[in-house]
């Protein structure tokens, strides 16, 4: 079977190889045919982009390559509209937790980000950055696989009259807490491709958002930290940002196995005594 990875050069001074074009086109087509999204600030739809790509595929393919070569994204793609939405079942509208925000982004920007997301994921795999227990933003892995591992651990333990304890948690405010300098520095330390490092630094440096509350648009301002929920590249950046967490906890508590899907975590431990397992979980 042919290797379908979008292999980079590893040197930001070297142009991206033309052999990537077919793979990039495949990613773009997959995004355009399966995405349904509200229009971003530029009012350009996926349908319009799909029509244009059929007419001039080469030009669409050149866009993500150009952003990686220059390390810059179009200012239009960096502008978001933040819509505040009431959460289902939250009756007290005076509580901040009763609401969530959703970022409406440029559809063309999402297409470009989808290509880079695939490159980020493949580069992280190639560099061995991710823990075996990380399942988010990785090809061939899903949340269902993580659940299957937990269930299999329990079944295996029952066969030898042991029990399994699972501690579930999430990383509070994982997306807003991503620090640009930290994630870029992690990519440099782990020797990720120079094109991706420059692109990520630009992506996290130049975003702006205009909040819209009950139809009233606020003044546009810069996004100083974090990554936007709704951005295709955000989950893999969160995964890279938190990649050392599972390894660190497993080194500290060697009896536990960590499983994660982006910002959701599960710690699995097996033993014969429930009290010992509870104390282990509390560590």
């Amino acid at each position: 079977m042919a290797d379908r990875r979008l292999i980079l050069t590893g040197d930001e001074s070297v142009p991206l190889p033309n052999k990537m074009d077919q793979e990039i086109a495949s990613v773009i087509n997959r995004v355009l045919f399966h995405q349904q999204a509200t229009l971003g600030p530029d009012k350009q739809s996926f349908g319009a982009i799909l029509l244009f790509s059929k007419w001039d595929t080469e030009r669409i393919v050149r866009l993500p390559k150009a952003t990686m070569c220059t390390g810059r994204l179009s200012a239009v793609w960096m502008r978001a509209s933040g819509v505040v939405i009431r959460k289902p079942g939250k009756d007290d509208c005076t509580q901040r937790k009763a609401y969530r925000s959703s970022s409406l982004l440029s559809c063309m920007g999402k297409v470009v980000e989808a290509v880079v997301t695939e490159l980020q994921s493949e580069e992280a795999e190639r560099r061995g950055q991710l823990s075996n227990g990380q399942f988010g933003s990785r090809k061939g892995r899903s949340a269902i696989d993580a659940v299957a591992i937990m269930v299999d651990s329990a079944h295996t333990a029952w066969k030898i009259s042991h029990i399994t304890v699972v501690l579930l948690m999430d990383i509070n405010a994982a997306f807003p807490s991503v620090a640009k300098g930290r994630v870029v520095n992690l990519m440099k330390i782990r020797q990720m491709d120079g094109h991706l490092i420059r692109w990520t630094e630009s992506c996290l440096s130049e975003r702006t958002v205009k909040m819209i509350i009950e139809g009233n648009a606020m003044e546009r301002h810069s996004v100083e930290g974090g990554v936007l929920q709704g951005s295709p590249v955000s989950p893999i950046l969160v995964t890279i940002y938190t990649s050392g967490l599972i390894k660190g906890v497993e080194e500290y508590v060697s009896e536990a196995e960590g499983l994660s899907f982006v910002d959701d975590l599960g710690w699995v431990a097996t033993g014969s005594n429930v009290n010992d397992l509870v104390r282990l979980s509390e560590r």
Side-chain angles (χ1 to χ4, degrees), residues 25-140:
S26 176
V27 174
I28 291 172
N29 286 332
R30 188 165 66 246
V31 172
L32 293 178
F33 276 109
H34 293 94
Q35 282 277 6
Q36 296 291 331
T38 306
L39 300 184
D42 61 359
K43 306 301 182 184
Q44 191 177 53
S45 69
F46 281 120
I49 298 169
L50 178 59
L51 288 173
F52 184 78
S53 70
K54 290 180 178 178
W55 175 61
D56 194 346
T57 302
E58 183 181 350
R59 185 172 297 183
I60 296 290
V61 167
R62 286 205 305 264
L63 281 174
K65 291 180 69 175
T67 66
M68 284 184 286
C69 286
T70 61
R72 297 292 301 274
L73 287 85
S74 169
V76 175
W77 303 339
M78 305 296 284
R79 293 200 292 264
S81 296
V83 181
V84 179
I85 303 171
R86 175 88 70 89
K87 294 179 180 178
K90 299 292 185 179
D91 298 325
D92 188 353
C93 62
T94 64
Q95 297 295 316
R96 181 175 61 86
K97 290 184 178 180
Y99 301 89
R100 66 179 180 87
S101 64
S102 178
S103 299
L104 306 182
L105 305 170
S106 163
C107 290
M108 190 66 245
K110 282 189 171 184
V111 170
V112 171
E113 287 189 22
V115 174
V116 178
T117 296
E118 191 145 331
L119 288 166
Q120 294 272 30
S121 178
E122 290 175 358
E123 180 73 352
E125 294 281 4
R126 187 168 71 90
R127 298 288 181 180
Q129 288 188 17
L130 307 178
S131 164
N132 287 334
Q134 287 183 294
F135 285 81
S137 303
R138 303 177 75 174
K139 281 186 176 181

Side-chain angles (χ1 to χ4, degrees), residues 22 36 46 93 151 177 196 199 210 218 231-232 244 253 276:
Q22 185 176 350
Q36 296 291 331
F46 281 120
C93 62
V151 172
S177 299
L196 294 177
W199 187 96
K210 178 191 290 185
M218 307 291 106
S231 168
V253 186
D276 289 343

